[in-house]
Amino acid sequence: SSHEYKLNFKKSKEICLSYIQDAMLQKQWKKAAEFLTFYSESLEKDFSTEYVSPSEMIWRIGTEILCHHSHSSMKEFNSFTEQMKSLGVKRYLKVCLEHTFHLLCNGLIDEAYQNLSLSESWRFGEQTIIQDKEMKLIKAYRGLLDYYNWSKQKNILLEHGQDGFEDLSVEQEMHSCFRKAAVNLKEIIKIPGVWDLFVKCYVDLLEFYGDHNEARQVLNEYAYNSKFPANPNAHVYLYQFLKRHGESKKSLVSALKILHDVVPSHELMIDFNIMLQKSKKRKRRRLGLEVIFAVLDYAGWKENVKAWSCLAKQVKQIVISEKHLDWIQQEWNSRKDWWPAFHFSRYLAKRNWQENESLSYEKALVAGILLGKGCKYFKYVSHRGCQAQVKRFRILKKFVNKHNPVYLRISG
Amino acid sequence: PLSPQAGTTFVPRRGGMGESWEPADAAAVPLLPPNASCWVPSVAPQDILYRGVLRGKLQAGKCGATLDFTKKLSHFFVDHPEDAFGSLGRLLHQNFYLGNSKLKVSVHPAVTMPSITPPLAAAIPSLCPLSSLQRQARDCTIRMTALREVIDRLEATRGCPRKHLIPRLRWFSHLSRDWLFEVPLGLLADCVHEDLLLQWASLLFDDSPTGGALAWLPPRDMGARTGCLVYPGGQAMNHLCILPRGVSLGREGRGHVALPLAGSPDFQDVVLEELPCARGSPAQFELNGRIRQVAAAQVDGEDFVGVRSDYHCGVWRVSGRTGATPTPLQVIRTSVPASCLTVSPHLPGELAVCTQSGAIYLWNVETGLQRLRHDPQTMFFRDNSPWRWSDFTAHPRVLSCADRTGLQCLDTRAPTRCHFDLFKVGEEAGCQQGERVVLPMYMGRAYSSQHLITTQFSVYVLDERLPLVPVLKWAHMMKAPPLFAHLTPGGPRRSHKVLLGTSRTQELLLLQYRGEERGSGGGSRSACRLAGPPQKLHSIASCLQHLPAQLPHQHCLLQQRLGAPAAGLAAALQEDGSRESLLVFQLSEAGDEAERPQQPCASSQPSSAPQEAERPQEPCASPQPSPAAALRYRRWMQALSKGCGEPPQRSRPPTFGQKRLFTRKELEEPSAPSTLHRQARQRLHQAMRDGGRIQRWDPPPPALPQPLEPAAGDLDPLSTRLTAAWGWDWERWWEERTSFNMAQRQQALRERRRQQKRAR
């Protein structure tokens, strides 16, 4: 019966697909290609109701095989892609985009550009939402390539400019590239999403032509629009922009403060802490302590000397001045039940001492102040340091012994 | 999928160049001797499905399976008559004397007892002969003598695989089922139905082994070569074995150290339990439940091993010194099966536990349990799976918690207030319809802020700093959802190896992954990407073809055993000078507590199958296993046939009653033997005397007639043809004839042409 036939047909295609998959996963590209030719039968009678249709499967598998097959060439890849474009109208733009990526990865930037402009002019029936999205992406990538073109021309001009030689045609071309790039880049970054690369390029363009207000607006929108996913990079770009344009400390601090709230473990937090420590305002120094404590909560920072020295410096300052000990106390309260095991165990003392002496010095200072002179970490490191006749460890021991009452106040 | 770096170079997000790993052997090699305890194959769909109906439905174009409920129940009556009829039948027996005469007992179908508790006296009258019910008697009369005969025969054929349900007995049970059975039918039906549904669900997708019950504890420093393999063993996979690899296996495991238990917490869900004791070597602990998951992490130079069974979780400490015995630290009991246990990579003795009731606990060996969340509902949309998972994140005080719909991170210091969504099944991640989270894994050993999330279709890499938008997505195309994942960090400028494993299909995939790398300038970074094409590794079943040849039925059994679902996955990276090898261990679970959940006696096989993949690209090894591997195969087979070669014999060999084979008439001895009889008897005697065989009972056929003497002179074609056919020479005759014909025709043609020529 026809139903049985359909069932058998489907089954045999499924088996074929699993053979292809097996061959590909064992890097037998030739075998996979042979099986794929059999699988193409399934195009004739597409009974499937699967998420991925056979024609899409063939496109994906074929691309993968051509990427790895030892005998494949760019020419073959191009002709395969052309065939795939005609195979499914709904997928046309997707295939084009993928083709462009492949060309780009192989360094064929001009061909990629051509490919993009060609697919931009493609029209089929009424545009669906997905098609609309894909079209925007294609335009955006063309904008990106325009941007690269622009920066190339810019570099040529800058080099020539030094020689005192002006080339009008290059300059004109550069400006036309700018216009083309700007239109498309502006369009894509309006859609909520992660567009780091496009935003950076667009801002670079705007800055070059001196449109700082627009650039700032774009970055602000990218960082603060709640429709966009929470993206720490957006805040980083904004901060870098503000820093480049010599903005006031206040705006820099507020930008970094938000970054601190979003990602307390960001690398910029070290700069932030240094900036805040230098500040004369009490509130900012308080924030600085909070920031550096938060950074060291994260496993990724556990062995970072820079971070530990920042904390050690600020804690030392506070202890010497004997003002604001309550700041330390407040920070320590939420950490005292797990920091000792996380940072100041005997095992870590041993290992840090062996692997990184300066790290163990900074940590021992913090441990001595936070946990007192009886703390395992401090005892081990200072003992070893004194044994090794390193001067700074002797000073450290004296310092901690002298300020031991501070520990009692913090823990009390 | 591309990421432009500084300048205008483009790097593909998928593919590109990765390290090339080649399999070191032709197939997986057994590492441990087979688990010798008796083994029952796991439940297959055809055990539950009623094939007839299914086929009919499939043909009708309908999908959806039907549970074979009636068949199961009828099996119950026949397989467990003691349970079904047991004591009630025995009590009735006294009043049930039927004598030797042919007695007719009619049973009235209308007499039904609502329960079995009422006194028996009430039931007995219905057994008495009731003359007034003659009208209905035909339909509901059973001849008890015959029935007893049937029952007697049933006793004789007990254990016989070919016994059928006898219609008379069936009729009897149909008539009397309301009052005769030990277990009320309604109740029994409910129980069986519930169990069938559970089994069917677990056949479709069993999430209890999520995470895998196999762990590798790497050696403390790279110089030492001894790591430990932690795996379940024993009859019910209820023994925790910790086997140091590379150390001789002769040591006695010393006893346990009982730690003072932390104050018992006041949760109704989870309580502390007594510690298990060690027994024998390699350090073995007997637990009171099948081990579902073994999780391990190294903190401060010590390994912490968490073990999850359905209602118990335990934690062990394995200290770094070689030769030290693992110490059990604490055990908790849960009232609802636990679905997850992960060990903190940050703080010693800290674990995360989830139960199927939707509760998540932070479990610290010193401070006890802290309940972080209790929500039977799923997080983002409704899904009826009770599965929950929790893992650690870059911040030691923040836990990730997952259900099938996504992942959230919550701060243990303020679990109700501080949380954010890390992953949501939906549009942001480009999920497919019906996609669900299968296994999240914290990848802290590679990148402190990244998480791997597998679904039945794809693999995602998420970064805590940029939640909800996956950094990487890849469709894995595995046939079953990947329940096991393992990360082997690759060190600076190397790719990280991620292993994905499925349970039912035993698939194993090796992915290479590069996360963000900072360029030397600090500014340029490359995005996360998969390096090189993914690779498939050998599964346990792959070694079947290299095992010594077996008898067909044993081969079948072996195939079944090797094809059992995988139960765990672990890997160890070994460096030997410039040569690097990745040992992949896979644990198989064969069988489970299928039919009788209260007596989990039948399950086994932790035949770990290590695999080696060597990095320096060698010419691909020949498909034959190395001699060392072949030896291992042979040893394993020997151990298997010695330990559990044959399934236990039934108490009695099957017997067949010959009564029904022949009719009485046929069995009757004829008054006088016929000539045929006599002949046969003679021949038998003759054969016995000669010690020969009787090859043919029929008298020898008459000799072949002699072929006809070819008559002199030419014969007509039919005669020659028949003669040729008779003398087995027909083919040649045919050839000759055709060639003769050809020659004749040619001759004729030539003749005709000549005539034509002449005519012109």
Side-chain angles (χ1 to χ4, degrees):
Chain A
S1 70
S2 79
H3 180 72
E4 206 164 323
Y5 167 72
K6 272 186 191 176
L7 218 69
N8 287 340
F9 185 80
K10 201 180 150 196
K11 219 183 210 166
S12 73
K13 289 306 136 204
E14 267 167 18
I15 291 169
C16 187
L17 198 61
S18 75
Y19 282 153
I20 298 174
Q21 199 189 348
D22 268 9
M24 285 172 71
L25 288 174
Q26 291 170 42
K27 298 192 197 167
Q28 297 162 339
W29 303 110
K30 200 169 159 240
K31 201 167 147 194
E34 277 165 23
F35 279 125
L36 185 62
T37 51
F38 295 121
Y39 185 73
S40 58
E41 263 178 48
S42 59
L43 281 178
E44 292 170 26
K45 302 172 187 71
D46 188 352
F47 304 129
S48 71
T49 49
E50 305 279 315
Y51 181 74
V52 182
S53 69
S55 57
E56 180 158 359
M57 208 64 117
I58 288 174
W59 166 51
R60 285 176 189 274
I61 292 171
T63 317
E64 197 70 24
I65 291 174
L66 283 173
C67 281
H68 291 102
H69 202 292
S70 53
H71 295 307
S72 77
S73 63
M74 205 61 214
K75 205 175 139 196
E76 268 172 9
F77 190 92
N78 289 344
S79 75
F80 177 77
T81 318
E82 288 310 320
Q83 279 181 44
M84 287 304 114
K85 280 178 193 169
S86 57
L87 208 59
V89 218
K90 281 186 192 161
R91 236 183 1 263
Y92 182 88
L93 292 174
K94 220 172 173 182
V95 178
C96 281
L97 211 54
E98 203 74 41
H99 188 197
T100 311
F101 294 157
H102 188 79
L103 291 169
L104 285 177
C105 289
N106 285 286
L108 302 167
I109 295 179
D110 293 339
E111 283 86 340
Y113 190 85
Q114 266 173 25
N115 194 32
L116 282 177
S117 6
L118 241 164
S119 46
E120 227 177 297
S121 57
W122 179 81
R123 287 285 174 280
F124 176 79
E126 267 184 45
Q127 273 196 348
T128 59
I129 299 166
I130 297 170
Q131 267 178 12
D132 195 42
K133 254 189 191 166
E134 283 166 348
M135 193 54 103
K136 273 194 179 135
L137 262 182
I138 281 179
K139 282 183 179 163
Y141 273 101
R142 198 169 65 88
L144 196 66
L145 292 184
D146 277 324
Y147 166 78
Y148 284 126
N149 230 342
W150 172 84
S151 73
K152 224 196 277 170
Q153 318 266 349
K154 185 186 78 177
N155 287 340
I156 292 171
L157 267 186
L158 286 178
E159 267 174 37
H160 285 207
Q162 281 169 356
D163 306 339
F165 166 80
E166 277 186 25
D167 193 338
L168 262 175
S169 68
V170 173
E171 204 177 325
Q172 259 174 7
E173 206 184 323
M174 185 180 114
H175 293 322
S176 87
C177 276
F178 158 71
R179 273 190 296 278
K180 280 192 275 182
V183 170
N184 287 327
L185 290 176
K186 192 180 176 178
E187 212 50 42
I188 193 81
I189 57 180
K190 276 183 193 159
I191 307 168
V194 179
W195 306 112
D196 289 1
L197 191 67
F198 301 94
V199 168
K200 257 168 102 174
C201 293
Y202 187 51
V203 169
D204 190 27
L205 285 176
L206 293 175
E207 274 187 279
F208 184 81
Y209 287 98
D211 196 351
H212 297 309
N213 281 338
E214 168 81 3
R216 185 197 302 265
Q217 208 182 332
V218 165
L219 285 171
N220 267 322
E221 172 80 6
Y222 191 51
Y224 297 129
N225 190 337
S226 59
K227 278 183 196 153
F228 282 65
N231 183 355
N233 287 343
H235 301 282
V236 175
Y237 298 149
L238 183 64
Y239 166 73
Q240 282 166 348
F241 176 84
L242 295 175
K243 207 175 161 191
R244 267 202 303 275
H245 293 276
E247 294 283 331
S248 69
K249 206 152 212 182
K250 198 179 159 194
S251 56
L252 289 182
V253 167
S254 71
L256 283 178
K257 172 83 172 51
I258 289 169
L259 185 62
H260 163 72
D261 291 339
V262 178
V263 183
S265 63
H266 201 276
E267 292 96 280
L268 280 176
M269 289 305 116
I270 297 294
D271 297 351
F272 190 34
N273 171 264
I274 292 169
M275 191 200 288
L276 292 172
Q277 265 195 50
K278 281 183 204 152
S279 171
K280 291 201 176 68
K281 285 186 190 158
R282 224 166 32 147
K283 214 170 149 193
R284 286 206 183 150
R285 290 206 307 273
R286 169 87 182 84
L287 180 65
L289 190 71
E290 211 178 300
V291 165
I292 196 68
F293 260 107
V295 162
L296 284 168
D297 279 349
Y298 285 86
W301 289 94
K302 217 174 157 181
E303 276 160 20
N304 191 297
V305 189
K306 186 86 191 145
W308 278 108
S309 78
C310 282
L311 179 63
K313 199 175 153 197
Q314 194 164 8
V315 166
K316 204 172 162 182
Q317 247 175 27
I318 293 173
V319 167
I320 289 171
S321 68
E322 294 211 7
K323 263 189 249 162
H324 312 308
L325 279 175
D326 56 317
W327 293 358
I328 301 182
Q329 195 181 359
Q330 272 168 26
E331 292 302 321
W332 184 238
N333 261 343
S334 63
R335 294 181 170 88
K336 65 182 172 196
D337 56 334
W338 60 281
W339 266 41
F342 186 52
H343 286 308
F344 305 128
S345 69
R346 197 181 146 75
Y347 173 84
L348 281 176
K350 238 184 209 170
R351 220 183 68 187
N352 291 344
W353 171 256
Q354 274 169 12
E355 286 170 6
N356 193 341
E357 200 191 284
S358 12
L359 174 70
S360 67
Y361 170 80
E362 307 289 356
K363 275 179 78 173
L365 176 64
V366 177
I369 292 168
L370 294 175
L371 288 163
K373 61 181 177 181
C375 147
K376 279 177 281 182
Y377 194 96
F378 170 74
K379 258 164 84 180
Y380 183 88
V381 172
S382 62
H383 180 67
R384 277 307 176 88
C386 293
Q387 256 182 1
Q389 310 250 318
V390 186
K391 199 180 161 197
R392 61 173 170 171
F393 283 96
R394 218 172 285 152
I395 299 168
L396 166 74
K397 202 171 179 177
K398 256 186 221 159
F399 178 82
V400 170
N401 281 336
K402 188 180 153 200
H403 292 281
N404 204 42
V406 171
Y407 150 69
L408 295 172
R409 273 175 62 191
I410 291 170
S411 60
Chain B
L2 87 174
S3 66
Q5 288 176 310
T8 37
T9 39
F10 291 84
V11 188
R13 174 157 281 186
R14 218 158 32 72
M17 291 305 288
E19 292 162 11
S20 173
W21 290 77
E22 299 293 336
D25 226 319
V29 184
L31 172 73
L32 299 166
N35 191 348
S37 41
C38 69
W39 180 67
V40 171
S42 52
V43 182
Q46 54 266 33
D47 295 340
I48 296 182
L49 288 176
Y50 184 48
R51 264 159 288 177
V53 172
L54 181 70
R55 196 174 299 143
K57 281 216 166 164
L58 270 182
Q59 274 166 359
K62 287 178 213 155
C63 46
T66 321
L67 296 176
D68 184 9
F69 179 63
T70 28
K71 206 169 129 210
K72 278 269 156 181
L73 212 56
S74 70
H75 277 309
F76 174 74
F77 295 142
V78 182
D79 289 345
H80 309 282
E82 293 86 1
D83 299 332
F85 304 102
S87 52
L88 203 69
R90 226 165 290 132
L91 282 170
L92 278 176
H93 190 73
Q94 297 169 358
N95 307 301
F96 215 64
Y97 179 69
L98 302 169
N100 292 322
S101 61
K102 293 199 171 185
L103 186 71
K104 265 191 167 184
V105 176
S106 69
V107 180
H108 197 297
V111 181
T112 52
M113 304 299 297
S115 77
I116 46 166
T117 35
L120 282 170
I124 293 160
S126 68
L127 282 169
C128 297
L130 296 170
S131 54
S132 59
L133 291 166
Q134 294 260 315
R135 279 164 290 130
Q136 305 166 4
R138 192 168 299 162
D139 283 345
C140 49
T141 305
I142 294 171
R143 284 174 53 112
M144 287 309 286
T145 341
L147 185 68
R148 284 188 57 187
E149 254 177 51
V150 166
I151 292 172
D152 283 348
R153 248 199 321 278
L154 200 69
E155 192 58 31
T157 58
R158 233 177 117 189
C160 169
R162 297 214 186 160
K163 73 182 163 195
H164 303 286
L165 206 63
I166 293 111
R168 199 188 301 267
L169 195 62
R170 206 186 164 107
W171 182 228
F172 179 70
S173 57
H174 175 73
L175 287 178
S176 55
R177 65 178 171 193
D178 290 329
W179 54 270
L180 195 60
F181 296 133
E182 184 85 343
V183 185
L185 258 201
L187 186 69
L188 184 71
D190 282 349
C191 291
V192 175
H193 196 247
E194 195 186 316
D195 185 56
L196 276 176
L197 279 178
L198 277 178
Q199 294 219 14
W200 182 247
S202 84
L203 250 183
L204 288 177
F205 177 51
D206 184 10
D207 57 16
S208 62
T210 307
L214 187 65
W216 168 255
L217 314 180
R220 231 53 60 197
D221 27 56
M222 290 319 277
R225 305 218 46 186
T226 326
C228 277
L229 197 63
V230 189
Y231 60 93
Q235 285 202 321
M237 302 280 265
N238 62 335
H239 290 231
L240 181 74
C241 312
I242 300 173
L243 173 77
R245 282 260 302 156
V247 170
S248 63
L249 308 174
R251 295 172 303 105
E252 266 308 303
R254 279 174 293 277
H256 69 284
V257 182
L259 282 188
L261 297 181
S264 97
D266 48 356
F267 304 120
Q268 74 280 43
D269 220 13
V270 177
V271 289
L272 292 170
E273 274 279 290
E274 262 179 57
L275 291 171
C277 330
R279 38 178 286 171
S281 131
Q284 248 194 42
F285 299 87
E286 190 180 345
L287 314 178
N288 51 0
R290 184 194 179 88
I291 295 173
R292 300 284 185 188
Q293 191 199 345
V294 175
Q298 206 175 79
V299 192
D300 279 5
E302 286 178 319
D303 282 299
F304 289 85
V305 179
V307 174
R308 164 171 71 89
S309 65
D310 277 344
Y311 294 97
H312 292 89
C313 295
V315 56
W316 274 254
R317 183 175 55 207
V318 184
S319 73
R321 281 166 292 126
T322 35
T325 335
T327 321
L329 296 181
Q330 221 167 57
V331 176
I332 52 170
R333 193 183 68 221
T334 59
S335 58
V336 190
S339 64
C340 153
L341 181 69
T342 44
V343 186
S344 167
H346 307 301
L347 293 170
E350 198 159 273
L351 299 98
V353 187
C354 301
T355 66
Q356 288 188 356
S357 62
I360 293 168
Y361 294 90
L362 180 69
W363 174 20
N364 191 307
V365 172
E366 268 157 34
T367 58
L369 288 149
Q370 182 196 354
R371 188 161 77 180
L372 305 177
R373 174 176 281 189
H374 181 89
D375 187 6
Q377 300 294 319
T378 44
M379 290 183 290
F380 300 112
F381 53 87
R382 273 179 75 93
D383 185 279
N384 47 18
S385 167
W387 177 86
R388 297 287 184 279
W389 194 265
S390 176
D391 209 335
F392 290 84
T393 66
H395 194 298
R397 291 289 97 185
V398 176
L399 287 187
S400 73
C401 62
D403 57 35
R404 296 271 176 236
T405 64
L407 247 87
Q408 259 184 0
C409 289
L410 48 95
D411 197 316
T412 58
R413 291 166 296 187
T416 44
R417 278 185 294 115
C418 299
H419 54 78
F420 65 91
D421 302 343
L422 180 61
F423 178 77
K424 216 191 274 185
V425 170
E427 209 184 346
E428 288 102 329
C431 291
Q432 218 170 297
Q433 200 177 10
E435 193 158 350
R436 295 288 182 272
V437 174
V438 172
L439 174 74
M441 181 175 72
Y442 172 51
M443 300 213 291
R445 290 198 297 151
Y447 297 103
S448 67
S449 61
Q450 291 189 344
H451 294 254
L452 181 86
I453 293 168
T454 65
T455 66
Q456 66 270 51
F457 307 118
S458 298
V459 178
Y460 300 85
V461 176
L462 267 290
D463 197 302
E464 286 167 31
R465 295 168 295 179
L466 181 55
L468 293 176
V469 186
V471 201
L472 188 77
K473 178 184 176 176
W474 179 66
H476 56 67
M477 287 178 79
M478 287 168 111
K479 292 179 189 80
L483 285 181
F484 318 120
H486 185 274
L487 171 78
T488 311
R493 304 208 165 271
R494 295 275 307 273
S495 62
H496 308 285
K497 284 99 208 157
V498 176
L499 286 162
L500 293 181
T502 64
S503 174
R504 193 149 288 281
T505 52
Q506 288 192 356
E507 287 164 278
L508 266 185
L509 271 191
L510 171 71
L511 310 179
Q512 294 180 50
Y513 163 70
R514 280 167 187 278
E516 59 173 308
E517 280 163 6
R518 227 175 296 182
S520 49
S524 76
R525 289 178 184 196
S526 69
C528 302
R529 60 203 162 90
L530 286 181
Q535 261 174 286
K536 187 183 175 168
L537 304 183
H538 299 304
S539 64
I540 296 175
S542 70
C543 70
L544 182 70
Q545 50 178 326
H546 302 296
L547 289 171
Q550 298 292 313
L551 290 173
H553 76 280
Q554 278 169 343
H555 181 87
C556 228
L557 278 176
L558 197 63
Q559 195 171 18
Q560 227 171 28
R561 176 158 186 153
L562 290 174
L569 166 70
L573 194 66
Q574 281 191 332
E575 273 169 278
D576 192 5
S578 62
R579 239 169 78 110
E580 224 179 15
S581 57
L582 188 71
L583 276 149
V584 179
F585 304 97
Q586 199 182 13
L587 177 77
S588 103
E589 143 219 323
D592 45 23
E593 51 259 276
E595 307 274 8
R596 281 147 289 172
Q598 74 277 19
Q599 191 194 346
C601 67
S603 61
S604 76
Q605 206 192 6
S607 70
S608 302
Q611 279 183 327
E612 281 169 279
E614 272 152 37
R615 198 166 86 84
Q617 200 170 3
E618 289 172 10
C620 201
S622 62
Q624 283 305 311
S626 65
L631 186 70
R632 278 226 192 119
Y633 288 137
R634 248 198 324 275
R635 288 227 182 103
W636 188 83
M637 271 314 294
Q638 273 168 7
L640 183 74
S641 54
K642 206 185 285 170
C644 44
E646 289 293 313
Q649 287 287 324
R650 302 212 178 229
S651 50
R652 247 177 283 184
T655 50
F656 294 94
Q658 44 128 328
K659 249 186 192 170
R660 298 274 150 159
L661 274 176
F662 306 103
T663 56
R664 186 178 298 248
K665 214 172 168 190
E666 280 169 336
L667 282 176
E668 245 171 34
E669 210 149 301
S671 51
S674 68
T675 46
L676 207 64
H677 266 115
R678 228 175 294 131
Q679 270 180 2
R681 216 167 265 179
Q682 261 176 5
R683 289 191 63 197
L684 262 176
H685 280 300
Q686 183 67 36
M688 277 156 81
R689 261 201 301 277
D690 299 348
R693 293 174 296 164
I694 297 169
Q695 284 182 320
R696 209 180 261 151
W697 278 107
D698 309 322
L704 291 171
Q706 284 302 308
L708 268 172
E709 282 298 315
D714 41 353
L715 289 163
D716 60 316
L718 182 66
S719 304
T720 38
R721 184 174 176 173
L722 282 176
T723 319
W726 194 249
W728 314 102
D729 212 11
W730 186 80
E731 246 174 275
R732 211 172 69 207
W733 172 83
W734 178 249
E735 265 169 36
E736 269 169 18
R737 188 182 146 74
T738 43
S739 55
F740 168 73
N741 266 359
M742 194 96 103
Q744 223 174 17
R745 240 179 288 153
Q746 275 170 352
Q747 185 68 33
L749 213 66
R750 244 175 256 146
E751 199 78 354
R752 208 162 58 201
R753 281 205 194 122
R754 215 176 291 150
Q755 279 175 359
Q756 278 173 346
K757 256 186 200 167
R758 256 182 251 153
R760 267 186 246 143

